[in-house]
Amino acid sequence: MISEKLKPLVANNSTVRAMFEEGGKLKEKYGEENVFDFSIGNPNVPAPEEVKQAILDILEEEDSLFVHGYMNNAGYDDVRQTLAEQINKEKGTSYSGKNLIMTVGAGSSLNVALKTVINRGDEVLIFAPYFLEYNWYVDNYDGKVVPVDTKEDFTPDVDDLRKKISDRTKAVIINNPNNPTGVVYDEDVIKSIAEVMYEAQEKTGKEIYIISDEPYRELVYDGAKVPWIPDFYNNTMVGYSYSKTLSLPGERIGYLLIPDEADDAETLIEAATGANRISGCVNAPSLIQRVIKRCADCKADIDFYDRNRKALYNGLRDCGFECTLPKGAFYLWVRSPVEDEREFCKAAKKYNILMVPGRSFMGPGYVRLAYCVSEKTVRDSIDKFRKLAEEYGKQV
Amino acid sequence: MISEKLKPLVANNSTVRAMFEEGGKLKEKYGEENVFDFSIGNPNVPAPEEVKQAILDILEEEDSLFVHGYMNNAGYDDVRQTLAEQINKEKGTSYSGKNLIMTVGAGSSLNVALKTVINRGDEVLIFAPYFLEYNWYVDNYDGKVVPVDTKEDFTPDVDDLRKKISDRTKAVIINNPNNPTGVVYDEDVIKSIAEVMYEAQEKTGKEIYIISDEPYRELVYDGAKVPWIPDFYNNTMVGYSYSKTLSLPGERIGYLLIPDEADDAETLIEAATGANRISGCVNAPSLIQRVIKRCADCKADIDFYDRNRKALYNGLRDCGFECTLPKGAFYLWVRSPVEDEREFCKAAKKYNILMVPGRSFMGPGYVRLAYCVSEKTVRDSIDKFRKLAEEYGKQV
């Protein structure tokens, strides 16, 4: 009855849903404050006050027909121009509005980028562990995901990239800062990826794209810098979302940036604008586009996440767990003390701790904790983690 | 470089864009008030005052984390429940929230429905003339469109449907009220379609779906009634949008309704919810979902469209043009006085009248006029149409 492609999704969905339902039951039974739910990346920081003010001002100052009406499928020209100028200010670039296509969030940016370039059977290389929705996104266009190794510190294994890139490769997805590991790839990493890809482009005589998924770009700690990939590689498309930076995940607002340096950029932009249209989205939601224009220079409350990051990382290390210090995003990647991390997740549930098994990100043997929760949740969880650690004979 | 599937879109896009650019140039040259642009279905009625009030109330009364945050991929439970109850009140049905999936507008509803059931090569039957975006939507899932004839009055030719339905058919798209003809299919028409489809389901032993695209459902005139298709056929999915009713086309908000009567409804709903998620939309925009909840019983300003409808229909008839009296939507379908309606469109441009050639809807020999424009535009256009009619020796 349902399409063949969706059958595994429905089957898989039941597992995920079972997990969520169990979480819901725990909260019902023990009270929300006694459940330590680190499973979802739903920001716990409210949108900045400027967002509310922007909405009020728009309703007061702008014409309702304009605010809620159709515009160019790529988005309002003035919004795109403002965002291009904001990027130019931050990255020292010289984009204009035409380089941006407003999208229904980063998920949609990625889908638009993939639809724009992928033909049936094309390979898309992704450094593992990675956000598993990518598999569905690539499958939407009948592409084939080829996982690429990362090193012990979860930065890309460029030698493995060189091995796997071929004339079947159409794109490489980069997610920096990374979900689920919290790792930030520095300039050297990006340069070495670009080198391999330029070689492959040269050798195959075909465009190979970097599709850069950057919803966490503004969420970095300890002065970490996120390289701007188009500075290093021409055929790059950058997907961005305001979900995390402005705490607007439900609003579905982001953009896809295609630089003039991309081969045949004008056609690429036109095709991507068409892909956005015929995906059924037609255009990104209008009012919230206009809000983003007015909040283009708003910043995330990075201190909040940083406090949670330190508290959780230090707390778990003190319990004896092995963690990767996150340099960006709001995820902590923790080594499971037993080989099958699903057992570890199950054990944690006894203490009302919810975390996601690493195999949900192609990273078995690890678990992911999303620390975009309240500070109290982090604080109160540490005692529970200590008890959990004791079960594994960890030093306490 | 771009995908094979998008190549024809980019090629075709250039033609459409050329048309729009020409329109823009005309407006620049002659002033906006001297150009009669009947080309686009962008409502000229502002959103009802209740929409603005709802936004203000939500910002005042509801928690920002909730209003802009993630929710169930199918949408907020309370929003879906309220809309289900509103439908129940209007249609005498007994849906609950679980039957609705909130979507990024009707375009997205259709894409979600198609992705849910279409396998590569499946046939999708559509009564011509029809909204040509359907071709792209079906192609997104590698389906194949099979146009089905309509009769002289542009109601479905059910005999042709019977001829074309087969074991390759997975869905029939119905668009009622119809874009581009303005025709409304009555209960008898729907019953006869359902009869053919039940026969075909019986014969093939497979589900065949009606995907009903109903963005114009509330826009009907002269007391016309739009039948509620699930009352007549079990395997129906209804796509709806608030674009036209509440003049919110840019906001991208609608739903897909799947009734319990559909075979294996629970799985179908789950698959559609997943399709919505992995399309990259993730969920329908959050704030505007909450607005719709508060405006669930708001009505379109149908009198405005009705005045335009009568003025344009009567005006063109007086000029000697042959038109189909629209019973719904806001389009007038006019027979071209010359065989190639593109010539007619070209001649109209001399009078700064912009209309869309019927072949853009698989309906050559006709043109479409969207009368969701200002009353002044309609009024002032009639003199120009008269001059245009004179060129063709029409009675004036």
Side-chain angles (χ1 to χ4, degrees), chain B residues 306-319:
Chain B
D306 199 12
R307 285 193 297 273
N308 273 358
R309 174 182 76 116
K310 285 174 177 152
L312 196 65
Y313 175 78
N314 292 328
L316 263 74
R317 293 261 298 185
D318 286 349
C319 293

Side-chain angles (χ1 to χ4, degrees), chain A residues 59 64, chain B residues 46-56 246 295 298-299:
Chain A
L59 293 183
S64 154
Chain B
E49 193 55 31
E50 287 96 325
V51 166
K52 183 176 174 181
Q53 193 56 50
I55 298 174
L56 294 174
L246 297 185
C295 299
C298 275
K299 293 292 162 216

Side-chain angles (χ1 to χ4, degrees), chain B residues 214-265:
Chain B
E214 308 190 354
Y216 306 103
R217 191 170 70 212
E218 318 295 333
L219 299 183
V220 286
Y221 313 104
D222 302 336
K225 284 210 170 13
V226 179
W228 181 247
I229 301 183
D231 285 347
F232 302 94
Y233 188 69
N234 68 335
N235 285 321
T236 299
M237 298 191 259
V238 179
Y240 184 72
S241 157
Y242 293 90
S243 290
K244 318 297 177 182
T245 316
L246 297 185
S247 290
L248 298 172
E251 300 295 355
R252 313 311 304 140
I253 185 74
Y255 59 73
L256 182 71
L257 179 139
I258 299 177
D260 290 331
E261 290 73 22
D263 292 339
D264 235 335

Side-chain angles (χ1 to χ4, degrees), chain B residues 113-371:
Chain B
L114 289 164
K115 184 167 179 70
T116 301
V117 297
I118 300 297
N119 288 309
R120 166 172 280 262
D122 283 348
E123 290 184 355
V124 177
L125 275 48
I126 315 180
F127 298 103
Y130 62 86
F131 181 46
L132 225 59
E133 292 290 280
Y134 295 159
N135 284 350
W136 297 112
Y137 296 171
V138 172
D139 182 61
N140 283 339
Y141 312 101
D142 300 306
K144 190 177 163 245
V145 169
V146 178
V148 180
D149 293 343
T150 50
K151 296 193 278 193
E152 215 165 294
D153 62 359
F154 298 105
T155 59
D157 179 343
V158 179
D159 290 331
D160 196 48
L161 175 66
R162 188 175 281 114
K163 252 183 259 166
K164 286 175 178 161
I165 207 163
S166 76
D167 60 358
R168 294 181 305 275
T169 310
K170 194 62 182 272
V172 176
I173 295 180
I174 292 181
N175 176 214
N176 193 31
N178 190 261
N179 172 17
T181 62
V183 166
V184 174
Y185 306 163
D186 65 17
E187 212 176 286
D188 285 343
V189 169
I190 299 301
K191 275 181 180 165
S192 61
I193 292 172
E195 196 187 311
V196 171
M197 292 184 64
Y198 272 127
E199 273 170 27
Q201 283 200 138
E202 183 83 16
K203 204 168 143 191
T204 63
K206 296 194 316 178
E207 291 88 2
I208 306 176
Y209 295 90
I210 289 183
I211 299 177
S212 183
D213 185 25
E214 308 190 354
Y216 306 103
R217 191 170 70 212
E218 318 295 333
L219 299 183
V220 286
Y221 313 104
D222 302 336
K225 284 210 170 13
V226 179
W228 181 247
I229 301 183
D231 285 347
F232 302 94
Y233 188 69
N234 68 335
N235 285 321
T236 299
M237 298 191 259
V238 179
Y240 184 72
S241 157
Y242 293 90
S243 290
K244 318 297 177 182
T245 316
L246 297 185
S247 290
L248 298 172
E251 300 295 355
R252 313 311 304 140
I253 185 74
Y255 59 73
L256 182 71
L257 179 139
I258 299 177
D260 290 331
E261 290 73 22
D263 292 339
D264 235 335
E266 210 175 308
T267 305
L268 200 62
I269 291 168
E270 189 171 342
T273 304
N276 191 39
R277 186 189 98 210
I278 67 173
S279 71
C281 291
V282 182
N283 55 251
S286 52
L287 168 62
I288 209 79
Q289 280 193 49
R290 306 216 60 74
V291 170
I292 295 298
K293 181 189 174 183
R294 290 179 185 240
C295 299
D297 57 2
C298 275
K299 293 292 162 216
D301 185 358
I302 191 76
D303 290 340
F304 169 86
Y305 293 117
D306 199 12
R307 285 193 297 273
N308 273 358
R309 174 182 76 116
K310 285 174 177 152
L312 196 65
Y313 175 78
N314 292 328
L316 263 74
R317 293 261 298 185
D318 286 349
C319 293
F321 290 111
E322 203 180 309
C323 320
T324 305
L325 175 67
K327 288 296 182 77
F330 41 50
Y331 304 106
L332 185 66
W333 189 239
V334 182
R335 180 165 215 149
S336 167
V338 285
E339 202 185 329
D340 188 338
E341 80 281 7
R342 288 170 300 187
E343 282 175 30
F344 181 44
C345 290
K346 203 172 157 193
K349 224 171 276 167
K350 283 184 300 190
Y351 304 98
N352 293 342
I353 296 172
L354 303 177
M355 36 197 208
V356 184
R359 64 194 61 209
S360 297
F361 305 93
M362 298 274 291
Y366 287 80
V367 298
R368 189 195 79 170
L369 277 73
Y371 55 80

Side-chain angles (χ1 to χ4, degrees), chain A residues 98-263:
Chain A
K98 74 170 174 15
N99 297 108
L100 275 84
I101 297 157
M102 301 304 297
T103 60
V104 179
S108 210
S109 300
L110 253 76
N111 271 276
V112 167
L114 289 164
K115 184 167 179 71
T116 302
V117 297
I118 299 297
N119 288 308
R120 166 172 280 262
D122 283 348
E123 289 184 356
V124 178
L125 275 48
I126 316 180
F127 298 102
Y130 62 86
F131 181 48
L132 225 61
E133 291 290 281
Y134 294 159
N135 284 350
W136 297 111
Y137 296 171
V138 171
D139 182 61
N140 282 340
Y141 313 102
D142 301 304
K144 191 178 160 240
V145 169
V146 177
V148 180
D149 293 341
T150 50
K151 295 193 279 195
E152 215 164 294
D153 62 358
F154 298 106
T155 60
D157 180 343
V158 179
D159 291 331
D160 196 49
L161 176 67
R162 187 175 282 114
K163 252 183 259 167
K164 286 174 177 162
I165 207 164
S166 77
D167 60 358
R168 293 181 303 277
T169 311
K170 194 62 181 270
V172 176
I173 295 179
I174 293 181
N175 175 215
N176 194 29
N178 189 262
N179 173 15
T181 63
V183 166
V184 175
Y185 307 164
D186 66 15
E187 212 177 286
D188 285 344
V189 168
I190 299 301
K191 275 182 182 165
S192 60
I193 292 172
E195 197 187 310
V196 172
M197 292 185 63
Y198 272 126
E199 273 169 29
Q201 283 200 139
E202 182 83 12
K203 204 167 140 188
T204 63
K206 297 195 316 180
E207 292 87 2
I208 306 176
Y209 295 91
I210 289 182
I211 300 177
S212 184
D213 185 25
E214 307 190 356
Y216 306 103
R217 192 170 71 212
E218 317 295 332
L219 299 182
V220 285
Y221 313 105
D222 303 336
K225 286 211 167 15
V226 179
W228 180 246
I229 301 183
D231 285 346
F232 302 93
Y233 187 70
N234 67 335
N235 285 320
T236 299
M237 297 190 260
V238 179
Y240 185 72
S241 157
Y242 293 90
S243 291
K244 318 297 176 180
T245 315
L246 297 185
S247 291
L248 299 171
E251 300 295 355
R252 315 308 305 141
I253 184 73
Y255 59 72
L256 181 71
L257 178 140
I258 299 177
D260 289 332
E261 290 73 24
D263 292 339

